[in-house]
Amino acid sequence: MELAAEREASPEEIRSFRELGHACVRGLATPDEVAAFAPSICDAADRLAWNRDIPPQRQRTYDQAFHQAIGLCWQDEAIREFVFAPRFARVAAELLGVDGVRLYHDQALVKRAGGGPTPWHQDAYYWPVDAGAAITMWMALVDIPPEVGSMVFADGSHRRGDLRGPAISDESEDHFARLVEEEALSTSTHGAMAAGDATFHAGWTLHSAGPNPSADDRPAMTVIYVADGATVLVPERDEQRLDLALYLPGAMPGGPAATDRNPLLWRSGT
Ligand code: SIN
Ligand code: NI
């Protein structure tokens, strides 16, 4: 399966991303395209999820929310084709409003049947790059019914930058749920998804997800892109130091976010 044909981000998708910090792109991959990649991604996620073998009594809320497997594109050529797909990267670049994007990293997030909610958090808490230059694509690998649904976003929260809450945990859930309530922040979800539908969200967009009360796993694949030309920031916290070592190996603060683990995935006019 090729994933070759590109598509542009529509004006409405761009408006949604810039104004609200999130956009939904239905049918970014066809059901057939997803069906060609989903088994490899799900198998790899099952084998490689770092939090898959934690005994129930030691599982944190995060571990109950999903099994997380990172860097699958470096493990499997078929998955690399999916993660490197210019079609996805082009939409990411156009939503960000940049000429090109590089890979920051990929991760599979499989919310298991009966899995718990994803606590409120901001992804850029972990990133040693300018959050305005990075974007996450989250793609449903199966049809996701309404009772499972997709992420919930706090509209416009990306414009407020680092809200200085805790790392993703029960504490971040309490902290940000209170913020959403006290400030009566407007929230949106794109709800049920078909396989191949995707959402994109900005680095500082506050988001969460509900539990999975269904009997089926909810596998999603994410690709995080960074603008070509983005600079590595001086890490502010241990989580950012870890991300720097893992996803930008050898890169130095002040230098480009462009190691050999960060290939250019799309550039306009090429
Ligand atoms: C989820 O898949 O439940 C959350 C994804 C994310 O936080 O980006
Ligand atoms: Ni997130």
Side-chain angles (χ1 to χ4, degrees):
M1 195 60 61
E2 277 279 301
L3 275 176
E6 290 185 15
R7 84 184 294 283
E8 290 178 15
S10 73
E12 171 48 27
E13 290 156 0
I14 293 173
R15 186 207 59 78
S16 176
F17 181 77
R18 307 248 171 107
E19 266 178 36
L20 303 175
H22 57 88
C24 182
V25 181
R26 303 270 175 202
L28 182 55
T30 67
D32 282 353
E33 286 169 335
V34 176
F37 290 97
S40 315
I41 296 173
C42 292
D43 281 0
D46 203 36
R47 271 184 291 115
L48 301 171
W50 61 271
N51 55 352
R52 59 172 286 214
D53 292 326
I54 300 176
Q57 65 280 10
R58 287 194 27 236
Q59 285 178 4
R60 300 158 304 164
T61 300
Y62 187 76
D63 305 312
Q64 290 161 8
F66 41 68
H67 283 173
Q68 181 183 39
I70 301 172
L72 299 185
C73 70
W74 305 116
Q75 305 292 331
D76 180 304
E77 252 177 66
I79 300 178
R80 194 171 316 145
E81 200 185 317
F82 182 93
V83 170
F84 287 17
R87 186 191 306 166
F88 307 158
R90 176 176 187 163
V91 172
E94 291 178 348
L95 294 179
L96 278 178
V98 298
D99 288 338
V101 286
R102 293 178 174 275
L103 177 67
Y104 180 43
H105 65 89
D106 69 70
Q107 49 182 350
L109 297 173
V110 182
K111 197 181 280 282
R112 306 304 302 274
T118 306
W120 283 109
H121 64 282
Q122 293 182 295
D123 294 341
Y125 175 95
Y126 298 87
W127 298 348
V129 287
D130 175 12
I135 183 169
T136 301
M137 179 194 78
W138 183 105
M139 182 175 281
L141 297 181
V142 297
D143 291 347
I144 300 178
E147 67 274 20
V148 180
S150 47
M151 276 175 282
V152 178
F153 300 102
D155 300 328
S157 49
H158 63 308
R159 284 193 245 107
R160 296 175 57 165
D162 188 349
L163 291 164
R164 306 246 153 231
I168 183 170
S169 60
D170 288 335
E171 288 72 42
S172 72
E173 173 63 23
D174 289 351
H175 178 91
F176 288 125
R178 198 169 326 115
L179 181 85
V180 168
E181 194 185 312
E182 282 174 3
E183 300 197 13
L185 300 185
S186 134
T187 61
S188 310
T189 181
H190 301 287
M193 306 286 266
D197 289 352
T199 60
F200 286 79
H201 62 273
W204 290 127
T205 303
L206 183 61
H207 57 283
S208 63
N212 178 2
S214 78
D216 299 309
D217 287 357
R218 184 231 62 184
M221 185 62 180
T222 68
V223 183
I224 301 144
Y225 304 90
V226 61
D228 184 32
T231 302
V232 177
L233 303 179
V234 177
E236 273 195 40
R237 36 178 88 99
D238 284 347
E239 289 89 342
Q240 294 182 352
R241 275 182 269 282
L242 183 64
D243 256 38
L244 177 56
L246 290 176
Y247 310 131
L248 299 159
M252 300 300 283
T259 76
D260 57 6
R261 288 273 152 155
N262 314 111
L264 187 64
L265 299 184
W266 187 81
R267 167 164 271 293
S268 68
T270 53

